[in-house]
Amino acid sequence: MSKKTVLKLPFENRIQAGHLLGQALARYAKRPDVIVLALPRGGVPVGFEVARSIDAQLDIMLVRKLGTPGQEELAMGAIASGGVCVLNADIVAAIDISQETIEAVAATERQELRRREQAYRGHQPPPGIENRHVILVDDGLATGASMLAAVAALKQQKPASIVVAVPVAPTETVQRLQEEADDVVCLATPAPFLSVGCWYREFPQISDDEVKSLLARAWTQKPPPKLNGKP
């Protein structure tokens, strides 16, 4: 079920959006079986605030959008760790994108996925997911392709539940994710939607260094909890 609060748009920045999102997720506060997974790059500042608000462990969920050739901002699908690939069938059919083109774009994005995994995580081991309640966070959704890939990848790891949490998204994207995730928490579904950046006063590009800095702070302040006597 989608949870919406009445608020004034646009958000000031990702920090404010994350703080408000954390308030909407208060029922998950101070639970050792909850983990917040942010989608880099833009989802990390939001996820950092969410994790801090509910006193939860923060980590990352690496997903790469498959941009449509010539219209890279239009997602024809997305890939995630574990070999997951989710395609936007409507866009693929409408533009008549060949399987060869999809594979070529996916190969490039898999390289970037591996690069980011090394750049962001370094020697930090991936978190345990099985039997935990996972809150997937991004700074907003348009088509939702990346988030759908993240949900599909997480299901392979047998979490107790998957909650998608975002500040803003189109109604139709929220409805699509409600079919795949256990819960969707979205603060606003404005129409016409246009783009995620339209709903922020400040929406700068997030650098790799900013992502690494926030993760380092989170991992220092909130070490992974011990579950069932195991780290």
Side-chain angles (χ1 to χ4, degrees), residues 3-4 38 45 68-69 77 106 108-109 126 139 141 155 182 187 190 202 206 218:
K3 309 290 185 185
K4 291 189 283 186
T68 303
T108 299
E109 295 302 339
D139 55 10
L141 303 175
K155 286 180 178 179
D182 295 287
L187 300 183
E202 299 176 12
I206 304 298

Side-chain angles (χ1 to χ4, degrees), residues 10 29 32 35 41 74 92 96-97 139 155 178 183 215:
I35 183 170
R41 298 183 178 103
L74 180 63
V92 171
D96 192 22
I97 304 171
D139 55 10
K155 286 180 178 179
Q178 285 171 337
D183 194 11
L215 290 175

